[in-house]
Amino acid sequence: MMSVVHRLTTGWLLDHLSFINQCGYEICDSFTYPGDVTVNTSVSSTNNHPTSTFARTSSRDGPGDALETQGKRARTRYVFREEFFHISKAHIAAAPEEQLLQGSPELSPAEMKASSSAEERHEETKCGVRDSGTKKKRKRKCIFNQGELDALEYHTKVRKFIWEGTLHLVQEGLKSGFLHCAAAVPSSGKNVVPGRIDCGLAELCEMAKQFPAVNNGDHQAVNVLGDETTIPEQDLLSCVTENNSNCAKIVVLMGQKYLVPPKSSFLLSDISCLQPLLNYKKKYDVIVIDPPWENKSVKRSNRYSYLSSWQIKQIPVSALAAPDCLVVTWVTNKQKHLRFVKDELYPHWSVKTLAEWHWVKITRYGEFVFPLDSVHKKPYEVLILGRVQGNIKGALRKSEDVLPVPEHKLIVSIPCSLHSHKPPLTAVLAEFIKPDVECLELFARNLQPGWTSWGNEVLKFQHIDYFTLLRNET
């Protein structure tokens, strides 16, 4: 399952949607006879793209809708809904001279401040038009606080690398036809953002704290998925659920259907209920962490919970990591969080910082989703990579088989419109780890074949309504 469209020395251009669909969600072994209806929950893995012979049906159709007639075999396949990746317009348009394909203007910090002031005035004008007759928005004095000054200093260091590297990858994407020239495609107006599906997973995990505590010896460590679809909530929340077949499965939780890809495992739980993951007794060679960082917008919203730095330090990475484990942490652009990861968190976990990569978000036409020099929102996020420090001789011996992790790389992709649906790292990390290693994602919101995933919303983006059901009878 390769998500890499182009690979250059500066980084990778990824196709996130293709990666999801190559996980393979295909029902292909249901048979029925006169008067019978067969419901089969096995979904076999396939790397083929859907062909034009498939007929679209509602994404709400479940496996029970794949009905057969005598002597016929139905093949049905789920694919992720394309509209979640239809990012065609930048969220805030950059001035023409500042757009990616126009060249790379070198801006001084003073010019960036002036640019941010203009951006702020533009936003205030928009607000003034929209809010006419209502209470006037308090105008902010154009004075940068220390956090913004730190962010500006950091941005000036990485700006040229991000601009030039993204430009080269975008040019390759335009040449190959993966990206499209904006002038050649009619404008479709605003980005289409389908509605959010609220499954209540986090609330379920909160309720699960009332369940009896899980001890080391008196509870099963693994719940292996069979053909049944409905699983008691307590079984899902009290141990790791594993799909070790070559087929994906559909599970029903609180009346909602979720797709579980082949060769994947997950634990749905709150951070205070991590013991089942430790009971699983696996050691991981790759651990990817996407913590819910504290920030102003998260504090203002009741939709998302966040963790303090102290709580993040309590994650038992040392107990989960194999020797020389590669640890990858997603970090916001807040300098306070970047410093915390490198200066406190990684040393606390005995992890040595090796690299700082950037995920750059672009539209289908190869433009940044936000102006590169926007103060309010950057079109990139940061990944900090490090290795668990262990036996030095063992580390040297192991390093002969894999490439050293480069200090700077770019991951460029069209982002999913679903909040915090991060791009897959499987393909980009492959050359820096041994094959067939154990991989773990913490604070995950979706599943991947070959990975163990944990989080209080770990099945969120596996909800069947995020997928479209394709059908073909053979």
Side-chain angles (χ1 to χ4, degrees):
M1 287 181 299
M2 293 299 290
S3 56
V4 176
V5 181
H6 295 289
R7 182 186 183 281
L8 300 176
T9 53
T10 52
W12 305 268
L13 180 64
L14 296 189
D15 184 348
H16 189 170
L17 177 63
S18 176
F19 175 85
I20 297 172
N21 290 334
Q22 286 175 26
C23 290
Y25 299 110
E26 185 177 276
I27 301 173
C28 60
D29 55 350
S30 296
F31 291 92
T32 59
Y33 301 93
D36 291 333
V37 174
T38 297
V39 178
N40 192 302
T41 60
S42 297
V43 188
S44 74
S45 176
T46 176
N47 288 333
N48 297 324
H49 291 280
T51 65
S52 58
T53 57
F54 284 85
R56 278 188 187 276
T57 66
S58 165
S59 66
R60 292 180 178 272
D61 289 348
D65 298 299
L67 303 183
E68 325 291 332
T69 57
Q70 187 175 10
K72 287 188 177 180
R73 182 178 184 179
R75 302 178 67 214
T76 59
R77 185 181 179 208
Y78 287 95
V79 294
F80 203 77
R81 287 163 57 186
E82 288 184 14
E83 59 262 39
F84 288 111
F85 287 92
H86 279 183
I87 309 298
S88 55
K89 293 177 74 72
H91 302 305
I92 299 175
E97 68 275 7
E98 294 173 355
Q99 289 173 5
L100 180 62
L101 297 173
Q102 298 299 318
S104 176
E106 292 291 339
L107 294 186
S108 67
E111 288 172 315
M112 288 185 202
K113 288 181 185 179
S115 174
S116 76
S117 299
E119 182 187 331
E120 209 162 77
R121 285 195 298 274
H122 174 67
E123 289 301 304
E124 283 173 2
T125 302
K126 280 169 59 181
C127 289
V129 171
R130 190 167 58 243
D131 300 335
S132 58
T134 61
K135 187 178 177 182
K136 192 172 181 182
K137 189 177 179 183
R138 182 172 63 87
K139 187 173 180 181
R140 180 189 172 192
K141 293 177 182 177
C142 190
I143 298 172
F144 287 79
N145 62 37
Q146 190 56 49
E148 289 168 328
L149 290 172
D150 290 346
L152 194 59
E153 183 183 354
Y154 175 83
H155 179 67
T156 57
K157 291 177 184 175
V158 301
R159 183 185 189 280
K160 185 178 180 183
F161 175 72
I162 288 175
W163 187 295
E164 292 179 353
T166 303
L167 179 63
H168 292 150
L169 285 162
V170 163
Q171 286 171 334
E172 289 300 311
L174 290 168
K175 281 183 206 170
S176 68
F178 173 69
L179 300 174
H180 306 282
C181 180
V185 183
S187 174
S188 58
K190 289 181 68 177
N191 295 324
V192 178
V193 183
R196 196 169 59 97
I197 298 168
D198 193 355
C199 310
L201 295 173
E203 291 79 4
L204 177 63
C205 291
E206 190 66 29
M207 288 191 299
K209 293 179 183 180
Q210 309 305 316
F211 293 168
V214 177
N215 296 319
N216 285 322
D218 62 359
H219 199 279
Q220 66 185 54
V222 184
N223 174 35
V224 179
L225 288 177
D227 287 335
E228 72 281 359
T229 60
T230 304
I231 297 170
E233 281 84 351
Q234 188 153 352
D235 285 356
L236 272 180
L237 291 151
S238 58
C239 66
V240 172
T241 298
E242 192 176 81
N243 178 12
N244 54 21
S245 72
N246 292 320
C247 301
K249 306 283 184 182
I250 294 175
V251 298
V252 181
L253 178 63
M254 297 191 301
Q256 303 289 316
K257 294 177 183 177
Y258 300 90
L259 289 161
V260 181
K263 303 295 183 185
S264 65
S265 54
F266 66 91
L267 173 63
L268 173 65
S269 84
D270 185 90
I271 193 170
S272 62
C273 307
L274 273 174
Q275 190 58 45
L277 189 58
L278 299 172
N279 293 352
Y280 196 39
K281 297 196 184 311
K282 279 196 177 183
K283 296 285 187 177
Y284 297 94
D285 303 278
V286 177
I287 298 178
V288 174
I289 309 168
D290 185 15
W293 296 103
E294 179 182 352
N295 62 48
K296 287 178 183 177
S297 63
V298 168
K299 277 185 170 181
R300 283 195 298 265
S301 169
N302 292 322
R303 280 169 52 187
Y304 308 109
S305 58
Y306 61 88
L307 294 180
S308 67
S309 298
W310 178 86
Q311 288 172 304
I312 293 170
K313 282 175 83 170
Q314 306 314 305
I315 300 167
V317 165
S318 301
L320 296 165
D324 309 309
C325 170
L326 183 64
V327 178
V328 183
T329 304
W330 289 95
V331 190
T332 68
N333 286 308
K334 199 170 183 179
Q335 294 306 295
K336 174 185 171 184
H337 295 151
L338 279 168
R339 285 194 295 267
F340 166 72
V341 171
K342 291 190 277 191
D343 299 342
E344 286 188 56
L345 187 63
Y346 276 12
H348 179 73
W349 288 338
S350 299
V351 172
K352 180 184 178 183
T353 299
L354 299 176
E356 198 169 299
W357 294 0
H358 293 86
W359 170 36
V360 183
K361 297 172 245 187
I362 59 169
T363 70
R364 297 165 65 200
Y365 306 133
E367 292 296 337
F368 293 120
V369 295
F370 291 102
L372 183 59
D373 299 315
S374 169
V375 168
H376 303 292
K377 283 274 191 178
K378 289 288 187 287
Y380 58 81
E381 293 185 36
V382 187
L383 301 87
I384 305 295
L385 292 83
R387 280 203 191 274
V388 171
Q389 297 303 286
N391 182 290
I392 295 175
K393 289 182 181 177
L396 289 172
R397 188 167 58 250
K398 194 164 189 175
S399 67
E400 294 168 5
D401 303 323
V402 296
L403 294 173
V405 176
E407 192 174 348
H408 299 290
K409 282 280 188 182
L410 296 181
I411 298 168
V412 177
S413 73
I414 300 166
C416 183
S417 60
L418 297 169
H419 174 72
S420 206
H421 199 325
K422 295 295 198 295
L425 300 179
T426 304
V428 302
L429 296 178
E431 56 196 286
F432 312 113
I433 55 178
K434 286 189 171 183
D436 303 318
V437 296
E438 295 286 351
C439 301
L440 170 68
E441 183 174 6
L442 300 174
F443 304 100
R445 293 179 180 87
N446 61 288
L447 309 180
Q448 299 180 61
W451 285 64
T452 300
S453 304
W454 165 81
N456 68 345
E457 293 186 306
V458 73
L459 293 176
K460 182 172 183 173
F461 299 139
Q462 301 302 131
H463 195 285
I464 206 163
D465 281 358
Y466 288 125
F467 294 77
T468 297
L469 176 61
L470 306 173
R471 178 177 296 157
N472 185 37
E473 286 192 349
T474 58

